[in-house]
Amino acid sequence: MRSPVRAWIKALAAAVTAATLSTPLLAGPAHAAPPGSTGGDGTWTVEPVGGGHRVTLHLNKPLPVRDAVPELAADGRSLGPAEESPDGMTLTVVTPDPVVATASSVDVSWNGEVPEAAATAVGKAAPTPAAPPAKSHGKPAPAPVDPAAPGPYAVTHDDYDLGDTAITLEGLGGRQAEIRAKVYLPEGARGKRPLVVFLHGRHSACYNPTAWTTSNTQWPCPAGQRPIASYQGYDGPADVLASQGYVVVSVSANGVNAADNPYSEDRGALARGEVVMRHLDLLADAAKGVGDAKLVSLFKGRLDMSDVGLMGHSRGGEGVVKAALMNAGRARPYGIRAVLPLAPTDFARATLPGTPMAVILPYCDGDVSNQQGQHFYDDSRYAADGDPAFRSSLMVMGADHNFFNTEWTPGVAHAPASDDWSNRNDPVCGGTAPSRLTAAEQYAVGTAYIAGFFRLVQGGEQGLLPLFDGSGGTTASAGRAVVHAVAQAPAGKRLDVASFTSLAPSTRVSGAATAVVCAGMLDRSPQSGLPPCASTLTTSQAPSWTPATYANNVASTPVLRFSWSDPTGMVTVPLDKQVQNVSRYDALTFRAARDETATGDLDLAVEIVDKRGASQTVRVSEVSDALTAFPGTASPLPKTWLRTVRVPLSALTGIKPQQISEIRISGASRKGAVYLADLAFTTMAAGAARTDRLPQVSVEGATVDEGDGPGTATMTVRLSDKSATPVTVQIQTIATGAAPVIASAAQEVVIPARSLEASFQVPVNGDPAVASAPQSYQVVASVPVNATIGGGFTRLVVTDDDAS
């Protein structure tokens, strides 16, 4: 191999050691001065506009380029996503909220909170509970395969470039972007090879090599500036995969980055999906000997388009999920067999059932600080009956957002770059904190898990499964990094005892205990009928429940909140007679997290009972660290994230696995409260991809008259094909403007079995007296069950019939 990963890691370590990591990527929040005056990073104004107020923040320098969506906050409370001017110098929110008229401060907000105010904001996090002493669960076993080990092939690096304006993107309103990629080829590998495509995320598109500044408001780059080669930052995992016989193509998306915030409906997800699909089309043609001569010379006869993997970083993570869904909607789809969103955004909560998936979440993410990509895992778990795919979610302790990409890492990047975790003194994630990984260490763990996932799923290397299945497997190539993994086995490899998305009538709660299903947070989802979870956390501390930008009121991740005041408290889940033989499974598994209000030592007892009355009890602390608090002292830390509890059936004695009658979960400490999810008997396997069997659901736009009083607009959701089972989809309406005539609200729509469509109503409050211009509102479809998202974004246009 010409560029083995270990050489890359060594070079990266040396470069970063020589460089300073203390330059923050992100400017601090724009602190307000009195309205209309200058102060801090800019000036702000609040002005009345028809029934509400327009809040505008003028920045002294362009908004930092982040993957998270910028918001405005008045007096520390977020007003929601802001409209960003094309030059990045102005943020605007129009709101009916009267409180902003007397606001004493207006700040940039990210992920629902003002960074510097997060720890003291009203209704925010309670003091961090004291963590119980760590307990030994046995030494983690190393996986039998090293995921970062170079394979037998030398690697050739090449590239192709069709120009800065080679593609016109519907997702950017017809704007143009580049077709450019770096290619990694296994020398001497015969036959058609599996393909893996990498897509970077949102970063500045251009830089000035003389002034050492960046810009992100124009594409192609302005005179005197050069494109930032973000797509060249993944040599580590790409080299490993190519040495193992894969062809890897890492594609550029700077044209999307320069236009996605001001010019797209969905912050660029569709545009990024289009970029990926265009590259796949070009590669497929080239493999047949058709198209651009350079591509043909690289790929003719070398690609297996039925064996494709996708990795997307940050907004690229949402982009590759969109690409997989676009592909599934084609009459002749490519064989996308594996998808890896890395530190991803998930603004609209699309699901991806039927495709093996691993979501990688960096604990010290200073950009997508709410780890919203956890929704990809949570929302996809029960999104399709008989789902054949395996999925995993991994929390990488000590890792930030940027350092998985060398072009986003200071000391090795060719353009300006820095650490996205801006609080250098944070005791957990600051640059000198002992628990924080160095840039080289983080790149090594990223290389191991990115390469390992595709080798597991596409390559069938089962020895890598312990890194992803929640059994605690480790690998030397990840160094000292601590990686927590949770996983869901394919439907055919598990018996769901209790998902805890609802409480079955047969489930019994006894003793000094309560058990209530909760979902979401901050009372954002009243239509679900469920109380919120995480009542004292910020939205950056609760990845499973953080509200999505375009699905703000859609309920997220129902779980069981179980609390007890003495050890008699118990939840008992019986097994139906026809499924009591669990001998073909490896383990009893579930996910658990300590409730954020719990203090001190916390433990559960899990009792497995057979129909003769024999039982065996295992304490959670004996097999898992799931009930140990994650580290941190102030938002966005510590995180509440449900971890794996795994009880191997091979360790049980005195009970018959052919006759298991019930599972009892009880308090094993004096008192406590926990979140529980996904109780199942499982045998882990990588599973298979099969998305084309599901119809795609799209929401159709509508134009209606405002009317003279309360009324409704009727809209339609439509399936691409009939479904043998009912399809459900969540619909979010988004009210914007000073005096919106609709409300921001969510509702569930059901398309009956063997039907192609269903209608739903949006309340419209007409005004009989005031004439106004037509108002346009986003309507977004998300979290479908027994379908996937096709066209998830549309518009409801309300015209004023009072206008003369």
Side-chain angles (χ1 to χ4, degrees), residues 374-386:
Q374 177 64 27
H375 286 314
F376 284 131
Y377 177 89
D378 288 347
D379 291 344
S380 300
R381 291 169 302 151
Y382 306 111
D385 297 334

Side-chain angles (χ1 to χ4, degrees), residues 472-531:
T474 62
T475 179
S477 59
R480 68 184 180 100
V482 174
V483 181
H484 300 281
V486 298
Q488 183 187 47
K493 294 288 186 178
R494 72 176 196 271
L495 169 65
D496 291 324
V497 178
S499 66
F500 291 134
T501 57
S502 60
L503 203 58
S506 59
T507 300
R508 306 188 303 274
V509 181
S510 58
T514 60
V516 177
V517 174
C518 63
M521 62 190 307
L522 305 177
D523 295 308
R524 298 267 177 102
S525 307
Q527 83 288 344
S528 70
L530 299 175

